[in-house]
Amino acid sequence: MSKKQNRKPDPRHKKCEFCDKEIAYIDYKDYPTMRPFIDYFGNIMARYYSGVCLKHQKMLKNSVERARFMGMMAYRK
Amino acid sequence: MPTLDETTTDEDLRTYEFCVLYPCNLSQKEEAELLKNIEGAFEEQGGKQISKDSWGKRGLAYRIKGNDEGNFVVYHYALEGDKLKELDVALRIMPNLLRHIIVKPPKGYKIVKYSETYEKWLKEREGEDDRKKKEKEDKLAKVVADKAKRQVKRAAAKKEEEVVADKPKADKKKISEQLEKLISDDDLDI
C-alpha cells in the first residue's frame, strides 16, 4: 500500500496549463507566467515534463526567446 | 485580374509594440533626449501613440555592454506595416540604446501595463516566500518534537527492559545461594 502512495505521477498524463486557462497569447514581458516552465539553468522545460501542448510550447518558446534577447531572462545560469 | 489598391486606409494601421532598453546611468538630460528621439522617430513614420509604459530601473539577467541594470520602456503605436523597417534602422543606430524589439501582437490583444503587474507579483511572491518559510519551520519543529518524543519513548522502553532483565539475575543469585546451602547441608541424604 505504501508503495502505491509513494509512486510518482506519470509525466505523460499532465494537462496543458495554458489550454486550461484558455490563453491565446503568451507575452514576453509576463515573467510570472513563463517562470514555471523554465528550469534552474534557464532552459525551457521539455513538453514531456511540463505537459504543455505543442501550440502553446511554440508560443512559449517565442516569448522566452524575446525575453532573453531583451535581458529580462537569462540564456544560461 | 484584381489590382492592389495602394492608398492606405485606417484599416492598414495596426498596433505595434516597441520595447526599448537603455542604461540607467544616463543623466536626466540624456535620458529625456533619448526618449524624445525615440518618440520623434515613431512620429516621423506617422505613428499614433496608444500607450507608454515605463518600467523604471530593472536588473538585467545578463550584462549588456557593461550594464547590469537598465530602464525598460514599452510603447504601443498604431503604424503602417511598411514603415517598420525604417523604424528598425532608426532605432538600431540610435546612441545610448542597448536593445529594442518590435512585436506585432495578435488581433484582440489587450494592452497590459506590466510595470504594475510585476510589482504586484513581487509583493505576492514575498508573502508566499514568508508563508513557505513559516511552513518549513513548523514542519521542522514538528519533526524535532516527534524525534524527542520517540527518544523519550525509547528510553522508557529500555529502562523497562533493564528492570525486567535485572529481576531474573537477582533470582539466579538467590537460587544459587540456596542451592549452595542445600548442597553444603550435611543432613541431606541423597
Side-chain angles (χ1 to χ4, degrees):
Chain A
M1 196 182 146
S2 61
K3 249 186 187 181
K4 258 188 185 178
Q5 280 175 345
N6 290 336
R7 197 186 262 173
K8 279 181 187 174
D10 194 337
R12 286 171 296 181
H13 297 309
K14 276 179 189 169
K15 270 188 178 177
C16 176
E17 280 183 33
F18 297 112
C19 283
D20 285 348
K21 289 173 194 164
E22 292 179 6
I23 286 172
Y25 176 65
I26 302 168
D27 208 316
Y28 69 96
K29 305 183 292 298
D30 196 359
Y31 180 69
T33 35
M34 290 188 287
R35 206 181 77 126
F37 302 96
I38 305 296
D39 69 5
Y40 174 79
F41 296 103
N43 298 325
I44 305 170
M45 263 162 71
R47 242 155 44 85
Y48 179 83
Y49 298 106
S50 59
V52 179
C53 68
L54 185 60
K55 191 179 103 181
H56 282 116
Q57 181 79 358
K58 285 178 178 178
M59 270 187 215
L60 184 73
K61 180 211 133 202
N62 263 336
S63 48
V64 167
E65 281 182 356
R66 281 171 182 164
R68 279 175 182 167
F69 172 72
M70 289 306 290
M72 298 170 190
M73 210 176 251
Y75 279 99
R76 183 88 189 156
K77 255 184 203 173
Chain B
M1 201 178 153
T3 51
L4 288 170
D5 187 14
E6 294 205 344
T7 54
T8 54
T9 57
D10 281 350
E11 284 176 10
D12 292 334
L13 290 174
R14 259 201 78 153
T15 316
Y16 291 96
E17 187 183 299
F18 302 88
C19 183
V20 290
L21 167 67
Y22 59 90
C24 59
N25 54 9
L26 294 179
S27 65
Q28 274 194 342
K29 202 181 167 189
E30 277 177 318
E31 196 181 324
E33 202 181 320
L34 178 71
L35 290 178
K36 205 180 163 189
N37 279 342
I38 293 167
E39 280 161 30
F42 290 136
E43 272 151 27
E44 213 173 81
Q45 304 297 337
K48 280 181 209 165
Q49 197 183 73
I50 296 169
S51 78
K52 181 189 171 184
D53 184 18
S54 52
W55 290 8
K57 200 172 164 185
R58 281 265 183 105
L60 298 176
Y62 53 91
R63 192 172 285 178
I64 302 174
K65 285 186 185 171
N67 292 294
D68 288 322
E69 285 173 333
N71 283 317
F72 286 96
V73 184
V74 180
Y75 293 102
H76 282 92
Y77 271 89
L79 264 176
E80 285 166 32
D82 53 350
K83 303 276 170 69
L84 288 179
K85 227 172 193 179
E86 289 157 35
L87 245 177
D88 193 29
V89 171
L91 288 173
R92 199 172 291 163
I93 59 173
M94 210 164 272
N96 284 334
L97 199 62
L98 292 177
R99 292 276 155 99
H100 75 273
I101 195 171
I102 304 171
V103 175
K104 191 168 92 177
K107 275 178 184 172
Y109 172 74
K110 276 181 191 171
I111 295 165
V112 183
K113 296 215 164 180
Y114 280 98
S115 51
E116 294 160 11
T117 49
Y118 184 75
E119 274 168 21
K120 234 186 243 176
W121 175 74
L122 274 183
K123 270 182 193 171
E124 273 175 26
R125 202 178 142 208
E126 271 176 21
E128 206 171 296
D129 280 352
D130 286 342
R131 194 177 52 80
K132 272 185 185 170
K133 226 180 187 179
K134 213 180 174 186
E135 257 178 33
K136 215 178 176 181
E137 276 172 10
D138 286 346
K139 218 176 177 181
L140 200 79
K142 209 184 169 186
V143 167
V144 168
D146 281 351
K147 206 179 173 183
K149 268 184 194 173
R150 252 181 282 144
Q151 270 180 349
V152 167
K153 238 183 187 178
R154 224 176 281 160
K158 222 177 182 182
K159 258 186 188 177
E160 261 181 36
E161 258 180 37
E162 275 175 10
V163 168
V164 171
D166 282 347
K167 266 184 184 174
K169 264 185 191 173
D171 286 347
K172 262 184 189 175
K173 269 184 185 175
K174 270 183 188 177
I175 290 165
S176 57
E177 273 172 21
Q178 280 173 353
L179 271 172
E180 268 177 28
K181 259 185 192 178
L182 281 171
I183 292 162
S184 58
D185 205 351
D186 296 333
D187 302 336
L188 253 176
D189 252 355
I190 302 167

